[in-house]
């Protein structure tokens, strides 16, 4: 498939640079993360009708009652995940359109990503593969189960909000590992960072967020 990776007009590199400038103003300082967002054509991850809005700092619908997170949240969650340095093996819960997956794949050694909605995952996999990001494995499954076969993970990033942290995901986090996850119900969610140490888990509450709910089952 022929992809217009560079974009034109409101999807051009100039527009992308404005997005990166905005992220710096919002406090994102990790240059590798900024480069990954600069190099990832967000306009290809949304419907063509929404492409002109791809680099605005807003969430956009991607079908199936799901959204692509705003660039700031993608950058912030990634920065929180990588705050202690590079990670080898990361589990992503909620592949969605694959944008966060593509960003992560440029920053960690390997990404294992789980999605419960099969048509979304298939589309994301094809797009991310076409962008030459190949250090990724995909699983169609209930995200609450994680992906135990490849555990433990150095990092876990969750892109939907459960009311509380799923026990199965805690079990799959390596000692010294970090999980970034939104917790709570619509209108009252908070971003949390969970660090596993030898004696248990340390939880930091970071900021208010607004994510789609974490649902069980497969579609």
């Amino acid at each position: 498939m022929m992809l217009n990776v560079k974009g034109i007009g409101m999807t051009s590199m100039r527009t992308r640079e404005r997005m990166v400038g905005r992220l710096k103003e919002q406090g994102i300082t990790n240059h590798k993360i900024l480069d990954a967002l600069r190099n990832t054509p967000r306009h290809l991850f949304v419907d063509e009708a929404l492409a002109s809005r791809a680099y605005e700092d807003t969430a956009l619908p991607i079908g199936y009652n799901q959204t692509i997170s705003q660039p700031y949240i993608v950058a912030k969650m990634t920065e929180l995940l990588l705050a202690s340095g590079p990670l080898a093996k990361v589990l992503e819960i909620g592949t969605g359109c694959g944008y966060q997956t593509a960003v992560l794949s440029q920053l960690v050694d390997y990404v294992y990503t789980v999605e419960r909605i099969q048509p979304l995952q298939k589309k994301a996999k094809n797009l991310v593969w076409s962008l030459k990001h190949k250090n990724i494995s995909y699983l169609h499954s209930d995200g609450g189960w994680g992906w135990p076969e490849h555990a433990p993970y150095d990092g876990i990033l969750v892109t939907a909000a459960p009311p509380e942290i799923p026990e199965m995901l805690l079990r799959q986090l390596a000692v010294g590992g970090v999980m970034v996850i939104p917790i709570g119900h619509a209108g009252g969610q908070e971003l949390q960072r969970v660090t596993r140490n030898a004696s248990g888990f340390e939880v930091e509450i970071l900021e208010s967020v607004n994510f789609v709910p974490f649902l069980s089952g497969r579609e």
Side-chain angles (χ1 to χ4, degrees), residues 80-81 83-84 153-156 165 170 173-181 192-206:
L80 289 166
L81 192 73
S84 298
Y153 299 96
D154 305 306
I156 299 177
I165 302 170
L170 289 173
L173 191 61
V175 173
V178 175
M179 182 192 313
V180 179
I181 180 170
Q192 299 187 5
R193 177 166 57 184
V194 182
T195 304
R196 185 170 194 173
N197 53 45
S199 59
F201 298 91
E202 177 188 336
V203 179
E204 301 166 80
I205 296 172
L206 299 156

Side-chain angles (χ1 to χ4, degrees), residues 65-165:
N65 294 314
Q66 303 298 300
T67 59
I68 179 173
S69 294
Q70 68 191 94
Y72 168 74
I73 285 294
V74 171
K76 182 68 174 179
M77 291 180 74
T78 306
E79 193 167 66
L80 289 166
L81 192 73
L82 301 177
S84 298
L87 301 179
K89 192 163 64 169
V90 169
L91 173 65
E92 179 191 34
I93 302 298
T95 314
C97 64
Y99 180 69
Q100 175 77 76
T101 318
V103 169
L104 275 177
S105 73
Q106 299 170 65
L107 298 161
V108 306
D109 291 349
Y110 206 89
V111 179
Y112 294 89
T113 185
V114 179
E115 173 57 54
R116 59 182 289 274
I117 302 170
Q118 195 161 37
L120 260 187
Q121 186 187 54
K122 185 175 180 183
K123 186 177 179 182
K125 183 177 181 180
N126 289 339
L127 175 55
V128 175
W129 180 266
S130 70
L131 293 171
K132 308 290 192 268
H133 302 308
K134 298 180 179 178
N135 57 332
I136 305 164
S137 291
Y138 299 82
L139 178 67
H140 174 229
S141 180
D142 183 323
W145 300 338
W147 198 341
E149 289 83 355
H150 299 288
Y153 299 96
D154 305 306
I156 299 177
L157 192 149
V158 183
T159 62
E164 57 189 28
I165 302 170

